[in-house]
Amino acid sequence: NTESMSLLTEHKVDEDKPHWRDFYINYEQYIETVEIRNNRNLAVLNMPCQDKDNANAPYIFFIHGACARMSQFEGLIQNLSSKFNIIAFDRIGCAYSHKPKDYS
């Protein structure tokens, strides 16, 4: 959503003060907003296997719990991206996904 993504463009990475938003800057090329239904958008990370010789790499899918964000998996994503295609997303209302005012 535009409001959430504008917060991302305002954020600057500071190596001395790590912040959860750093993940979204570092993986920006793999993250897109996907509309899953009318007025409901998810921030989705779709990162291909970083080993170009592994064309048939399996997929690994990260789903976070309530009140969390996909950036909590950053260490796993870094370690597993050489062997797997990575899919992760921010659930509705979390991090950079849409935060609807009505939940009907």
Side-chain angles (χ1 to χ4, degrees):
N1 96 27
T2 309
E3 181 181 318
S4 293
M5 296 315 280
S6 69
L7 293 174
L8 181 60
T9 58
E10 296 170 6
H11 177 72
K12 303 294 180 231
V13 175
D14 181 347
E15 298 296 328
D16 296 326
K17 296 180 185 172
H19 190 278
W20 67 266
R21 287 186 181 152
D22 297 350
F23 171 85
Y24 297 88
I25 299 293
N26 295 334
Y27 291 90
E28 183 176 22
Q29 68 188 22
Y30 304 112
I31 299 172
E32 65 180 313
T33 302
V34 176
E35 185 172 42
I36 58 170
R37 66 175 195 223
N38 192 25
N39 258 351
R40 299 291 191 264
N41 300 302
L42 293 180
V44 178
L45 177 133
N46 184 355
M47 183 176 173
C49 180
Q50 300 303 292
D51 178 358
K52 303 300 180 206
D53 294 330
N54 195 352
N56 296 317
Y59 282 82
I60 192 164
F61 195 81
F62 292 101
I63 304 172
H64 65 73
C67 302
R69 57 191 163 268
M70 68 175 142
S71 63
Q72 75 186 57
F73 300 114
E74 183 172 16
L76 290 168
I77 290 169
Q78 289 173 347
N79 289 326
L80 296 173
S81 64
S82 64
K83 296 179 181 171
F84 295 91
N85 294 296
I86 308 288
I87 304 287
F89 68 94
D90 286 326
R91 292 172 53 188
I92 291 289
C94 298
Y96 286 102
S97 285
H98 186 236
K99 292 158 187 59
K101 297 196 178 8
D102 73 18
Y103 285 86
S104 57

